[in-house]
Amino acid sequence: MKIMREVCQGVEAIFQLLYNEFRQSVRASDQNCRDVAARLADEVSRICNESSRIQTSGDVESWAHTLATHRLKQVLSYYKQGSQRGRVELQSTLSAIIYRYITPPQAPASYQARLTLIEDFLQGFYVEALNAFRRENTIDASYRPRSLLELAEYMAFTERYGKRRIPLPGRRSQQLIILRAQTFSQQQPPETSVDMDTAAEGATPESDANWNDAAIQQVREMMVASEPEPLEANLRDTVIEELLTYLEERQQHDCAEYFVLRLQDLPTSEIEEILGLTPRQRDYLQQRFKYHLIRFALSHRWELVHQWLEADLERNLGLTPFEWQRFQARINTTQKDLLDLKQQGRSTTEIAQALGYTATQVEKRWFKLLELAWDIRNSSVSGSGASQDE
């Protein structure tokens, strides 16, 4: 009875340590902090009870405190990085561990082919880690991280789970994720027969069943990934980074998280589940993101965005000759003067002096011109009015 009481007191002390730190360091609900702290405290207690080395050390309390502090730092680190940077960090950490163990069946192994296999492997490993997380914490099989704190907890667990040492014959051991990666690499078929037209064009209603085949999807992803020129790919990455920075600077953290999930092509229902939103709340968030996206694309970094879309001034804002005529016919003399000065490469200050405007007025009028060009392009593509898509 005395030993059990001491164990319970030790778990409670660890729980209070973790709970107090979470309450001070994160913007999560009280219940959320309690749940995460309780799971970590139980994990620490379980490790201390099952480890013969810790039990024979004579200082179980010190070990428990060290383990709890390590887990706390891990979770807070992922939390502070946010959902996007946290996932990138986890992906980079695990990729670095398994890189030399993932070998494409083709020879020689190209860098891009290896990265594609690593991506495929890790997607499966994340599912395995989530199942292990549910199992070890005795929680419902349908559990998924919904808050940023829970996501940070899961990412920290996944990193530890992958780095676990698995005993092997001959007093050797190996990290679990390396063993999984070796098995995955050995199971890759030497070649796969696919319909290249289907792979290039994507799924059709008649071929959905075939399109779900992982091999075909992998081929298409590799083809699509190889299409953009390096400059275009760099511009796209720059636009994404700039937009995320723009949203973070304006305290639009939920819009940034929504954008990151949209980049992963997740279905709407899954985005709602991850962010813990109702359809109505998600729709409101989508409209708010759309507003900031338009401000970013037509005002904040219009030159960068239009260069990436091949719609910069050198290309008549991406308009065809017929569309350019329509555009010219719909603007007045002052707007034409503004357009001419922009095409000459004049600065906002120079344009303001030439037209007798303030810099803010120049930016607002230029925004309107870009918006008009955008509407003409979209109406031509859709065949009707401006596009309603993001």
Side-chain angles (χ1 to χ4, degrees):
M1 288 294 293
K2 180 180 179 182
I3 294 176
M4 289 296 296
R5 188 165 56 251
E6 289 178 351
V7 169
C8 291
Q9 290 174 348
V11 174
E12 179 62 25
I14 292 299
F15 166 78
Q16 286 298 330
L17 167 67
L18 296 169
Y19 169 72
N20 292 337
E21 286 292 336
F22 283 139
R23 289 298 292 159
Q24 293 176 11
S25 305
V26 304
R27 294 183 297 175
S29 67
D30 181 79
Q31 187 59 50
N32 203 187
C33 292
R34 286 183 179 278
D35 292 342
V36 175
R39 285 194 288 266
L40 291 177
D42 288 343
E43 180 187 357
V44 169
S45 175
R46 184 172 63 250
I47 292 173
C48 290
N49 290 333
E50 294 177 356
S51 172
S52 57
R53 183 176 60 162
I54 294 178
Q55 288 295 320
T56 57
S57 67
D59 196 2
V60 177
E61 184 177 344
S62 177
W63 270 99
H65 186 275
T66 300
L67 290 172
T69 302
H70 174 258
R71 278 150 179 72
L72 174 67
K73 289 180 178 178
Q74 260 193 322
V75 173
L76 291 181
S77 174
Y78 278 113
Y79 181 89
K80 291 174 181 177
Q81 291 181 80
S83 60
Q84 193 240 352
R85 287 193 294 271
R87 295 177 196 200
V88 171
E89 177 65 24
L90 177 62
Q91 184 95 352
S92 299
T93 299
L94 299 183
S95 297
I97 295 174
I98 64 174
Y99 181 82
R100 58 183 292 228
Y101 300 96
I102 294 287
T103 307
Q106 298 86 1
S110 69
Y111 176 72
Q112 185 59 49
R114 193 186 295 263
L115 288 186
T116 301
L117 278 180
I118 289 174
E119 177 73 24
D120 290 344
F121 165 75
L122 286 178
Q123 292 307 311
F125 185 77
Y126 293 146
V127 175
E128 177 187 339
L130 179 59
N131 289 330
F133 179 82
R134 294 165 175 161
R135 183 176 61 252
E136 294 183 11
N137 288 284
T138 321
I139 53 181
D140 192 82
S142 62
Y143 168 85
R144 297 187 66 176
R146 299 181 184 276
S147 68
L148 180 56
L149 179 58
E150 289 178 342
L151 180 61
E153 176 194 20
Y154 162 69
M155 290 192 288
F157 174 87
T158 301
E159 181 182 339
R160 295 195 304 274
Y161 179 73
K163 292 179 177 179
R164 286 182 182 177
R165 307 295 302 190
I166 305 300
L168 299 174
R171 294 187 177 182
R172 297 181 299 113
S173 67
Q174 185 58 277
Q175 290 179 318
L176 183 146
I177 193 172
I178 291 178
L179 296 176
R180 295 286 191 271
Q182 290 174 325
T183 301
F184 172 84
S185 197
Q186 293 167 3
Q187 291 175 344
Q188 295 304 300
E191 60 182 19
T192 304
S193 176
V194 299
D195 182 342
M196 296 305 289
D197 290 335
T198 301
E201 294 173 4
T204 63
E206 296 78 13
S207 63
D208 278 345
N210 293 333
W211 185 245
N212 287 330
D213 184 82
I216 296 180
Q217 186 152 350
Q218 178 181 331
V219 170
R220 183 169 189 272
E221 288 173 352
M222 291 179 66
M223 292 172 66
V224 173
S226 64
E227 284 177 4
E229 295 296 325
L231 178 59
E232 181 181 342
N234 290 338
L235 278 173
R236 178 182 182 275
D237 292 342
T238 302
V239 169
I240 291 173
E241 291 176 7
E242 291 275 355
L243 178 54
L244 285 171
T245 301
Y246 172 87
L247 294 172
E248 294 289 350
E249 287 175 348
R250 284 154 181 77
Q251 304 300 310
Q252 299 296 322
H253 307 298
D254 49 352
C255 286
E257 290 190 352
Y258 174 75
F259 176 49
V260 170
L261 295 175
R262 285 298 302 268
L263 287 174
Q264 299 176 37
D265 291 328
L266 296 179
T268 300
S269 58
E270 191 167 346
I271 292 176
E272 291 171 355
E273 185 177 355
I274 293 173
L275 297 179
L277 301 175
T278 64
R280 185 173 182 177
Q281 290 172 326
R282 192 268 312 154
D283 183 64
Y284 172 73
L285 175 60
Q286 177 177 306
Q287 294 304 317
R288 185 150 50 89
F289 168 72
K290 194 171 183 179
Y291 166 80
H292 286 289
L293 179 62
I294 292 173
R295 301 299 300 182
F296 173 82
L298 300 184
S299 179
H300 183 69
R301 290 304 306 272
W302 74 268
E303 291 174 293
L304 175 66
V305 174
H306 283 71
Q307 182 184 4
W308 172 51
L309 297 176
E310 296 185 349
D312 48 16
L313 283 168
E314 294 181 358
R315 299 180 178 88
N316 288 341
L317 299 176
L319 301 173
T320 65
F322 175 71
E323 292 169 345
W324 184 249
Q325 289 179 1
R326 286 178 55 200
F327 176 72
Q328 294 275 2
R330 293 178 59 178
I331 62 178
N332 57 38
T333 303
T334 305
Q335 290 174 318
K336 288 181 179 179
D337 291 339
L338 172 57
L339 179 62
D340 290 340
L341 292 169
K342 279 286 188 180
Q343 289 178 317
Q344 294 171 25
R346 301 289 187 87
S347 67
T348 300
T349 302
E350 291 173 333
I351 295 174
Q353 292 174 348
L355 299 180
Y357 292 147
T358 65
T360 302
Q361 289 174 326
V362 170
E363 291 174 353
K364 288 182 178 179
R365 283 162 173 75
W366 182 242
F367 179 94
K368 291 296 183 183
L369 281 177
L370 292 176
E371 194 172 32
L372 174 59
W374 193 287
D375 288 342
I376 292 175
R377 282 199 309 273
N378 286 343
S379 63
S380 297
V381 171
S382 65
S384 57
S387 173
Q388 297 300 311
D389 295 332
E390 291 179 38

